Amino acid sequence: MEVGVGFDENDYLSCCGSTKFAKEMAAASPFPSYHRALTVAKHIWFNIVDVNGWLQAFSAHPSIGQPRPPSHASATSAEWSIGEQSTALATSTASSLQELAEWNARYMQKFGFVFLVCASGRSTESLLAELKRRYANKPIVEFEIAAQEQMKITELRLGKLFTSKKNISSTTDT
Amino acid sequence: MEVGVGFDENDYLSCCGSTKFAKEMAAASPFPSYHRALTVAKHIWFNIVDVNGWLQAFSAHPSIGQPRPPSHASATSAEWSIGEQSTALATSTASSLQELAEWNARYMQKFGFVFLVCASGRSTESLLAELKRRYANKPIVEFEIAAQEQMKITELRLGKLFTSKKNISSTTDT
């Protein structure tokens, strides 16, 4: 049985908010495996999507510590953001959330896009430390780091997509 | 005598079309010398201006071989663009201009910004060869190269600004 047959642009857009990425992934579908989909996704993200597409994908993320999504993020993307930030939120205090909000604002002011980090399983303290460290970077350096973090997030989300599809397929097949 | 005292945001915007660059340069003025202005300009461009500012600056340039400026470019910037491309235009033929136009369009389609190159003194043939070579780059690599080319253009234009100011000052002083 082949998995991944039924994914469309909107599914891929929930993994990564660049419309070019989503279109190219849909055009390259179906994939025989998650592994193959991931290889293609990395190629598309780092070689095909242009810098405007990177900025578009970044803008689909909520600020860390503030998992209310941007209004143009999909419902699935919004739900996944909340899940990815669950450890951070569970380990936060009012003062650490306040400090995170202040540093998020400083970061946005300097770089022009949201602080992007693959937050899964990470505490507020560790995310805040990373934000402060990365704040010192040059804009172009930080732009590339953010793109790498986006790819880590995309990788996790593609995994969720394939897992959910597999479950649905298995259920249907039995 | 100090030179460079009278430059304002619009003068710097003609050198580099990022409003952040122009504001920061105006705030750092006056400069005791061209050399000092150039050092500050490089620092601002590579460390302070964010990636959105880079894209804004790129968008102020006409396509190579088509020196009609974007409507939001300043009159000075437009005039300088024509001067910078004078060798290219003098060495062009109808077919080389046609080929350049086609490759410019392909480049814009792939990277999402205009092909940027410090064209001063260079033939159409040499510019076309560079465009074709750079077209193979990854988007993020090309983004950085374009930013370096923008800085070369800014350097030349700052030189023109200081030269013109010096002449005016000398005339006024005598």
Side-chain angles (χ1 to χ4, degrees):
Chain A
M1 190 197 78
E2 301 263 294
V3 295
V5 176
F7 300 148
D8 62 15
E9 258 182 66
N10 280 335
D11 293 322
Y12 294 119
L13 206 57
S14 296
C15 299
C16 172
S18 149
T19 46
K20 182 144 196 175
F21 173 85
K23 276 184 207 299
E24 294 277 341
M25 284 296 283
S29 292
F31 299 105
S33 67
Y34 164 69
H35 180 77
R36 180 64 195 151
L38 182 58
T39 302
V40 172
K42 284 182 179 175
H43 171 71
I44 291 171
W45 178 246
F46 289 115
N47 296 289
I48 310 292
V49 175
D50 69 21
V51 294
N52 298 296
W54 281 12
L55 290 168
Q56 185 192 19
F58 298 171
S59 77
H61 291 277
S63 294
I64 291 291
Q66 173 66 55
R68 195 176 332 162
S71 56
H72 57 282
S74 74
T76 307
S77 172
E79 187 189 319
W80 284 347
S81 288
I82 292 169
E84 286 153 5
Q85 296 200 33
S86 59
T87 303
L89 289 172
T91 58
S92 69
T93 61
S95 75
S96 68
L97 280 183
Q98 174 63 28
E99 195 179 359
L100 201 51
E102 285 164 11
W103 276 91
N104 271 322
R106 289 182 66 175
Y107 183 99
M108 173 63 92
Q109 174 69 23
K110 175 171 179 181
F111 296 109
F113 51 81
V114 71
F115 171 64
L116 209 62
V117 62
C118 186
S120 272
R122 295 183 59 181
S123 71
T124 295
E125 195 181 356
S126 123
L127 295 174
L128 188 55
E130 179 161 343
L131 201 173
K132 289 178 182 175
R133 187 176 52 74
R134 281 169 49 185
Y135 181 79
N137 286 334
K138 288 163 70 158
I140 186 64
V141 170
E142 192 53 29
F143 191 48
E144 282 206 69
I145 292 174
Q148 285 154 4
E149 292 298 314
Q150 170 65 62
M151 190 62 233
K152 290 184 201 167
I153 296 168
T154 305
E155 182 170 347
L156 288 179
R157 293 184 174 187
L158 273 177
K160 289 176 189 165
L161 205 61
F162 273 76
T163 306
S164 67
K165 191 69 187 178
K166 212 169 178 177
N167 290 341
I168 293 164
S169 300
S170 305
T171 313
T172 315
D173 291 350
T174 51
Chain B
M1 192 196 78
E2 300 263 294
V3 295
V5 177
F7 299 148
D8 62 16
E9 257 182 67
N10 281 335
D11 293 322
Y12 293 119
L13 205 58
S14 295
C15 299
C16 171
S18 150
T19 47
K20 183 145 195 176
F21 173 85
K23 276 184 206 301
E24 294 277 340
M25 284 295 284
S29 291
F31 300 105
S33 66
Y34 165 69
H35 180 77
R36 179 63 195 153
L38 182 58
T39 303
V40 172
K42 285 183 178 174
H43 171 70
I44 291 171
W45 178 246
F46 289 114
N47 297 290
I48 309 292
V49 175
D50 69 21
V51 294
N52 298 295
W54 281 12
L55 289 168
Q56 185 191 20
F58 298 171
S59 77
H61 291 276
S63 294
I64 291 290
Q66 174 66 54
R68 198 178 328 165
S71 56
H72 57 281
S74 72
T76 306
S77 173
E79 187 189 320
W80 284 346
S81 288
I82 293 170
E84 285 154 6
Q85 296 200 34
S86 59
T87 303
L89 289 172
T91 58
S92 68
T93 61
S95 76
S96 69
L97 279 184
Q98 174 63 26
E99 195 178 358
L100 200 52
E102 285 164 12
W103 275 92
N104 271 321
R106 289 182 65 175
Y107 182 98
M108 172 64 90
Q109 173 70 22
K110 175 170 179 181
F111 296 109
F113 50 81
V114 73
F115 171 64
L116 209 63
V117 62
C118 186
S120 273
R122 295 182 58 181
S123 70
T124 294
E125 195 181 356
S126 123
L127 295 173
L128 189 54
E130 178 159 343
L131 201 173
K132 289 179 182 175
R133 187 176 51 74
R134 282 170 46 185
Y135 181 79
N137 287 333
K138 290 164 70 158
I140 186 63
V141 170
E142 192 52 29
F143 191 48
E144 281 205 71
I145 292 174
Q148 284 155 3
E149 293 297 313
Q150 170 65 63
M151 190 63 234
K152 290 184 201 167
I153 296 168
T154 304
E155 181 170 347
L156 288 179
R157 292 184 176 187
L158 272 177
K160 288 175 189 166
L161 205 60
F162 273 76
T163 305
S164 68
K165 191 68 187 179
K166 210 169 178 177
N167 290 340
I168 294 164
S169 300
S170 304
T171 313
T172 315
D173 291 350
T174 52

